[in-house]
Amino acid sequence: MIMDYAIETIGLTKIFSDWWGRAKVYAVDDLNLQIRSNEVFGLLGPNGSGKTTTIKMLLGLLHPTKGHALVLGGDATHPKISARVGFLPEESYLYRFLNARETLDFYGRLFGLDAKTREMRIEALLEMVGLKAVASRPIGTYSKGMARRIGLAQALINDPDLLILDEPTTGLDPIGTRQIKDLILKLSERGKTVLLCSHLLGDVEDVCHRIAILYGGKVQAQGQVKELLQQTNKRQIITDAVSDSTVHRIRQILSDAQAECEVTAPMEKLETFFIRTVVEAQQQAKPTSGAVSTTQIGDFLTVGSGRENILDKLVAPSVSDKTPAEPVRTETVQPRETVIPEANKDLLRKLTETSGSPRTERVSSPEGAAAQPVETTVEARQQEVKKRLLDQLTKDDTAKPPAQDGDSGHA
Amino acid sequence: MRRIWAVSTNTIRQALRMKVAAIFIVLLLVLLPVMGLSATGDGTLKGRLQTFVSYGLSLTSLLLSLLTIIASIHAITSDIEQRQIYTVVTKPIRRYQIILGKALGVIVLDIALLVLFGGIVYGVTSLMPRFLNASDEEVQAARNEFYTARASLVPPVLDVQKEVDELYARLVKNDQVDVIYPNMTREEVLKQLTNRKRLEKRAAAVGQTLVWEFRNVKPRDPNQSLFVRFKYDVSVTPPDEQVYGAWQVGDVRQLQPGAQQMQTPILPVTRKDTVRKFWELEAPASVVAKDGFLAVAFFNPPLNETTVLFPLEDGLEVLYKADTFTGNFVRGVLLILCRLVFLACLGAMAASFLSFPVAILFCLVIFVTGTTSGFILDSFGYMSENVSLVYTYTIQGIIQLLPRLDQYNPTTFLVPARLMTWGFLGQVVLVLVLLKTTLLLALALLIFSFRELAKVVV
């Protein structure tokens, strides 16, 4: 029964007492969480609501005053358990005197990975987080966002079954944020469990299956994101830019059904717009200030989910023609350690693709259902293929278009 | 082990890149050669060598000790304070492995630096004669009294208990105790009397002879010399501060009536030396009898007009070559390593529950107390006479845990070219490293394993 949950807390309580031992603050108060395997779980709450304290107790950095926490069915401080956990703390606490490559190598060695595996994973991760170009610079010289990226890479070096992310997107630019969100979804599709702790509601809404809202160390609300947010008394229909007369006819039908309807041109999300703008700038090879080369969400996504691909490709470079349309499915079928997917092909293709028509890709991906019809006008077979993938994300992204029948990837 | 080593290499990197170690390394690299040039001692080659070895090794030992304390504490506290420990401890590594890794890293760094600086000191000492164009005479003196490792024989401490008791009883009977030794406890008076009696046995009035007998003297090579190292003290200082001494070194049993004919030579020496300074009297090793017996006799000639004493601690010893300088030097460096290992673990222990500045302070206090522990022990021993019960069961135990760093000083062996035996080194390893260091390490592991590593943030 315990094994059903990736994380389970039973009456978890943390009281910070003063010097005399008198209880001062209930940081976490009788917390009972059950996070199922293969779930993206969001732990939300305002500052000081006990999110980070909970995570620290899960990982054994703090001792619970009462109750206990089970991670992957056991104690997270046991090497057998922690070997399967990836953790990104609320800030990237890294050794400033090491460079990115050495940092990852160090953490890889803590996992007892052999030199060959380490080398391959490090290269794949550096590419994924876009720090390859600056990998030999000491981390002390990194910007906050860059440090965040290497922190994320560090959490992924063991290909964890359970990923615990504390405020993963703080300090990241929108592109980086988007990448992390896509990565989370990808990992989820590969059967991983993700505990996401954040107060950035947009992020949580985009990726989480279930959430719990903490306040004062207690769970105030908990449940499926869809259920919590879905407006069951409304429907949304999104169409191509049809003519006024068509709109009129639709109104007619709706008024026959005694329903009100509102017709507007859908707005782009600012995130989408921003990403598109940056990508366009990169297309024109404008110099960028930072070393952050993060134009390619696709890269990140595919490489991220299939880091092992690069390893495998080096060994068996024949993974050519699986279509990128299906990466999700193929990957999820594979057992964890032996994913031999096509991601690298994917990556190459996307690199070329993106330069061809990055715009559509960007737009379609985060913007979701609203923008979709417009985008369909752009041809290119790969685009289609990609869109199918992105559509899935999109459903998660917005989490609300019931018109699409909501069979999102996380079911 | 792989994980411990990962932490170790990281610690070494940290020490080197965070410039903690760099400062000490640069200092030593600059200071050692400079000292090699500037150390003059008493102007002779031997004096220069002694000064250089003494300062060079002391400086190396001191700076590396400080470096060890700082590096081992910094390696752990900075991880906790800057919270890298969050990402380390959540990996499949046990907490004790982290502490072991940190301590090991510092120790490996120490070994590397000791090899480097020990090598420099050794190199400079070996090259100095050539470098200074020293005369053959000086080189010979240095070879005999510096580039060697001589075993040292000290006359046994005599048992004077009976005489002291008698003397004390007499004083008590005559009610003289308080007159001669006012305001002193019985123990203190007895102590003084004991010292007086012992010294009496090492004093030669004018016309008197003192004889010291040694057994089990085993020179490495009978063709080489042995040395009687002595220091005079006098009751009346002569105007030129010099006294005569008529010495005889050899198997004096042969002089007794009824003895067989002479088997080994007896060396007679008469010389005049400055008082309160160390002198060495050279004799061929062949004066030692086959069964290892050796006697040293001192006659106080009437020319002197003063009683001559040989101070209790260091008034007289016999030195003979028992090993090479190199062997002794290596053991000396290993002795420093023992101290560094201890300090590294001390630092780890302090850092396992204290913050950086407090841990540094704590370790420095222990370090300084350790290097002056003889003094501290004495003063506590003095106090103990008044509060002996309390003392015995409380402070004494703690003080016994202090490292006796002052006793583990290689220069006390290398400067007078005195043999440091493997036995002595083994004893240090046993007490300082195996016993005390293990204790510290166990304490560190225990504390670190159970403490909360995250800070309280609400």
Side-chain angles (χ1 to χ4, degrees):
Chain A
M1 167 210 135
I2 282 167
M3 290 307 292
D4 291 343
Y5 298 112
I7 292 176
E8 187 179 20
T9 70
I10 302 146
L12 196 65
T13 304
K14 181 70 184 177
I15 305 169
F16 291 132
S17 21
D18 65 7
W19 198 81
W20 302 102
R22 292 175 303 194
K24 257 174 76 185
V25 182
Y26 280 75
V28 174
D29 190 3
D30 194 24
L31 185 70
N32 293 293
L33 278 182
Q34 276 107 28
I35 300 173
R36 289 190 272 271
S37 295
N38 193 14
E39 186 172 56
V40 179
F41 191 91
L43 202 53
L44 288 108
N47 294 330
S49 56
K51 305 185 297 281
T52 300
T53 308
T54 306
I55 286 186
K56 283 175 182 168
M57 279 193 285
L58 286 178
L59 293 167
L61 291 166
L62 289 174
H63 303 317
T65 314
K66 266 183 272 173
H68 53 274
L70 291 170
V71 175
L72 296 173
D75 178 0
T77 56
H78 193 283
K80 274 195 176 148
I81 303 283
S82 46
R84 296 165 58 204
V85 177
F87 171 49
L88 175 65
E90 74 256 59
E91 272 174 55
S92 302
Y93 303 118
L94 300 164
Y95 292 101
R96 299 167 54 80
F97 54 90
L98 295 179
N99 65 37
R101 198 167 267 122
E102 288 166 339
T103 303
L104 295 180
D105 191 57
F106 170 64
Y107 288 109
R109 285 164 70 193
L110 289 186
F111 278 108
L113 303 176
D114 60 77
K116 209 171 157 189
T117 315
R118 286 204 307 268
E119 196 183 321
M120 290 174 175
R121 288 193 183 179
I122 288 167
E123 292 312 313
L125 283 169
L126 284 176
E127 190 150 339
M128 176 186 108
V129 297
L131 291 177
K132 210 160 191 172
V134 291
S136 46
R137 244 171 59 188
I139 286 184
T141 67
Y142 279 15
S143 74
K144 191 175 178 195
M146 289 157 81
R148 207 75 194 127
R149 284 156 193 272
I150 200 73
L152 183 73
Q154 161 276 130
L156 292 170
I157 188 123
N158 59 328
D159 193 12
D161 291 341
L162 168 65
L163 191 59
I164 298 180
L165 304 172
D166 195 352
E167 310 278 5
T169 54
T170 46
L172 282 183
D173 56 35
I175 299 173
T177 308
R178 182 70 244 167
Q179 285 175 331
I180 288 204
K181 288 194 278 190
D182 290 346
L183 175 80
I184 291 172
L185 291 170
K186 272 301 219 182
L187 290 174
S188 165
E189 282 157 9
R190 288 183 56 211
K192 314 290 190 189
T193 312
V194 180
L195 170 57
L196 177 68
C197 177
S198 182
H199 51 222
L200 298 176
L201 304 179
D203 297 350
V204 175
E205 188 182 338
D206 284 354
V207 296
C208 287
H209 304 154
R210 284 204 308 143
I211 55 165
I213 298 178
L214 284 188
Y215 184 79
K218 286 188 169 174
V219 174
Q220 307 291 337
Q222 185 171 200
Q224 298 253 339
V225 176
K226 265 196 306 177
E227 286 168 12
L228 292 175
L229 300 184
Q230 199 167 66
Q231 296 177 304
T232 44
N233 57 348
K234 287 195 179 163
R235 290 270 163 130
Q236 187 175 16
I237 302 168
I238 291 162
T239 69
D240 287 351
V242 290
S243 67
D244 284 351
S245 62
T246 316
V247 171
H248 187 73
R249 286 219 305 276
I250 291 170
R251 279 184 190 282
Q252 206 76 60
I253 295 167
L254 286 175
S255 70
D256 290 350
Q258 260 121 55
E260 296 267 315
C261 114
E262 186 183 325
V263 177
T264 54
M267 297 282 284
E268 260 184 8
K269 276 171 109 176
L270 180 55
E271 186 190 35
T272 315
F273 180 74
F274 177 88
I275 291 171
R276 191 178 63 211
T277 313
V278 174
V279 168
E280 274 168 4
Q282 278 175 342
Q283 291 284 296
Q284 294 158 25
K286 283 189 184 151
T288 141
S289 61
V292 192
S293 65
T294 56
T295 59
Q296 337 251 324
I297 301 175
D299 290 6
F300 186 95
L301 247 168
T302 19
V303 182
S305 55
R307 290 189 316 293
E308 306 289 5
N309 306 349
I310 290 195
L311 321 185
D312 294 322
K313 194 201 128 206
L314 291 174
V315 190
S318 61
V319 269
S320 52
D321 48 2
K322 296 181 188 173
T323 62
E326 301 293 308
V328 174
R329 265 136 235 173
T330 15
E331 282 172 15
T332 27
V333 181
Q334 311 270 358
R336 179 171 68 91
E337 288 298 350
T338 51
V339 192
I340 316 181
E342 49 303 310
N344 207 45
K345 271 287 138 181
D346 240 8
L347 159 68
L348 291 174
R349 182 194 295 253
K350 278 182 187 165
L351 282 169
T352 40
E353 245 176 36
T354 322
S355 45
S357 53
R359 169 178 181 148
T360 37
E361 184 191 347
R362 286 326 121 201
V363 174
S364 58
S365 119
E367 179 181 357
Q372 198 175 6
V374 187
E375 297 314 322
T376 354
T377 57
V378 186
E379 57 311 286
R381 191 176 56 81
Q382 302 109 309
Q383 285 323 107
E384 294 261 354
V385 153
K386 175 170 295 256
K387 196 146 304 154
R388 281 165 63 190
L389 166 70
L390 292 167
D391 283 355
Q392 284 190 319
L393 308 186
T394 321
K395 286 171 198 168
D396 277 347
D397 286 346
T398 42
K400 52 185 140 191
Q404 294 204 344
D405 214 24
D407 73 345
S408 354
H410 60 251
Chain B
M1 192 58 217
R2 263 205 304 192
R3 296 180 171 128
I4 295 179
W5 185 239
V7 176
S8 301
T9 46
N10 197 42
T11 307
I12 296 171
R13 275 206 182 114
Q14 180 175 29
L16 293 177
R17 295 197 187 163
M18 297 302 273
K19 291 162 192 125
V20 181
I23 291 174
F24 290 95
I25 295 172
V26 169
L27 258 179
L28 275 175
L29 282 179
V30 172
L31 284 178
L32 284 182
V34 167
M35 265 189 337
L37 293 175
S38 63
T40 50
D42 58 4
T44 63
L45 175 65
K46 189 186 96 183
R48 273 174 174 260
L49 287 167
Q50 287 175 333
T51 320
F52 175 69
V53 156
S54 165
Y55 286 1
L57 278 189
S58 301
L59 189 76
T60 306
S61 168
L62 176 71
L63 289 187
L64 287 188
S65 295
L66 293 179
L67 169 66
T68 304
I69 291 177
I70 294 174
S72 64
I73 293 178
H74 183 252
I76 295 170
T77 54
S78 82
D79 266 24
I80 297 174
E81 278 161 25
Q82 297 177 24
R83 302 183 200 177
Q84 287 99 344
I85 199 78
Y86 287 12
T87 47
V88 175
V89 87
T90 50
K91 302 287 182 274
I93 181 170
R94 291 288 194 183
R95 289 189 182 187
Y96 75 85
Q97 292 176 313
I98 298 177
I99 291 285
L100 284 181
K102 301 271 183 194
L104 182 67
V106 175
I107 291 169
V108 168
L109 183 69
D110 279 337
I111 292 175
L113 293 178
L114 261 186
V115 168
L116 174 66
F117 297 121
I120 293 179
V121 173
Y122 184 80
V124 173
T125 23
S126 327
L127 293 176
M128 205 180 268
R130 219 176 304 165
F131 197 66
L132 293 174
N133 282 326
S135 67
D136 286 351
E137 208 174 292
E138 276 191 318
V139 172
Q140 189 55 43
R143 197 166 290 154
N144 278 334
E145 296 170 35
F146 182 79
Y147 292 120
T148 179
R150 300 178 299 182
S152 145
L153 296 168
V154 182
V157 176
L158 296 171
D159 182 19
V160 290
Q161 188 66 42
K162 212 174 137 198
E163 295 168 52
V164 169
D165 287 345
E166 279 170 17
L167 180 60
Y168 187 73
R170 203 167 62 232
L171 287 174
V172 170
K173 206 169 131 193
N174 299 343
D175 284 333
Q176 286 175 317
V177 177
D178 286 338
V179 181
I180 305 173
Y181 303 105
N183 300 324
M184 284 174 109
T185 63
R186 183 171 180 273
E187 281 75 20
E188 285 163 2
V189 175
L190 283 179
K191 209 173 183 176
Q192 291 226 347
L193 291 177
T194 308
N195 274 340
R196 210 181 89 187
K197 278 287 166 196
R198 282 193 183 140
L199 204 55
E200 274 174 21
K201 306 269 181 199
R202 295 181 62 150
V206 178
Q208 246 187 357
T209 304
L210 289 173
V211 180
W212 293 276
E213 295 183 352
F214 302 96
R215 279 158 224 284
N216 286 322
V217 184
K218 296 273 191 289
R220 204 166 181 244
D221 176 359
N223 296 322
Q224 281 181 321
S225 302
L226 57 76
F227 299 86
V228 178
R229 180 181 164 92
F230 60 90
K231 184 165 84 172
Y232 293 131
D233 206 346
V234 287
S235 52
V236 182
T237 310
D240 59 352
E241 298 197 340
Q242 291 193 325
V243 292
Y244 292 93
W247 296 80
Q248 286 202 314
V249 185
D251 183 1
V252 289
R253 292 175 302 186
Q254 299 171 110
L255 302 176
Q256 283 162 5
Q260 305 293 315
Q261 69 190 82
M262 300 278 274
Q263 303 265 332
T264 50
I266 295 179
L267 179 79
V269 182
T270 302
R271 50 190 286 164
K272 192 180 182 192
D273 298 297
T274 310
V275 299
R276 297 187 192 96
K277 275 198 168 158
F278 286 108
W279 296 102
E280 288 188 8
L281 187 159
E282 187 177 350
S286 56
V287 297
V288 179
K290 291 233 157 39
D291 59 354
F293 179 87
L294 175 73
V296 176
F298 170 80
F299 173 66
N300 185 1
L303 277 169
N304 276 344
E305 299 174 350
T306 170
T307 300
V308 176
L309 305 112
F310 294 85
L312 281 180
E313 312 81 50
D314 51 5
L316 184 117
E317 62 185 320
V318 173
L319 303 164
Y320 60 90
K321 182 164 172 137
D323 197 4
T324 58
F325 172 72
T326 310
N328 224 23
F329 190 86
V330 168
R331 284 187 292 270
V333 171
L334 287 176
L335 194 63
I336 298 182
L337 181 64
C338 287
R339 145 194 310 230
L340 297 181
V341 169
F342 173 84
L343 291 174
C345 295
L346 179 71
M349 198 278 283
S352 67
F353 68 104
L354 296 172
S355 68
F356 183 73
V358 187
I360 291 277
L361 193 67
F362 174 79
C363 287
L364 284 182
V365 167
I366 300 272
F367 176 63
V368 173
T369 342
T371 40
T372 54
S373 58
F375 167 75
I376 305 256
L377 281 180
D378 280 354
S379 57
F380 272 108
Y382 191 75
M383 192 186 86
S384 72
E385 285 156 14
N386 303 314
V387 281
S388 76
L389 259 186
V390 182
Y391 165 79
T392 315
Y393 291 104
T394 54
I395 307 169
Q396 197 178 26
I398 300 168
I399 292 178
Q400 290 306 320
L401 287 178
L402 276 179
R404 304 294 307 273
L405 297 180
D406 53 344
Q407 291 185 347
Y408 307 149
N409 189 348
T411 58
T412 55
F413 295 93
L414 291 174
V415 168
R418 190 171 300 170
L419 175 74
M420 181 194 298
T421 60
W422 285 107
F424 172 79
L425 188 65
Q427 195 190 330
V428 175
V429 169
L430 190 74
V431 175
L432 191 66
V433 179
L434 292 183
L435 204 74
K436 294 185 179 173
T437 300
T438 312
L439 202 69
L440 283 176
L441 212 51
L443 203 59
L445 301 180
L446 204 68
I447 298 172
F448 193 74
S449 293
F450 289 103
R451 67 169 289 188
E452 288 188 328
L453 289 172
K455 276 203 184 133
V456 173
V457 187
V458 191

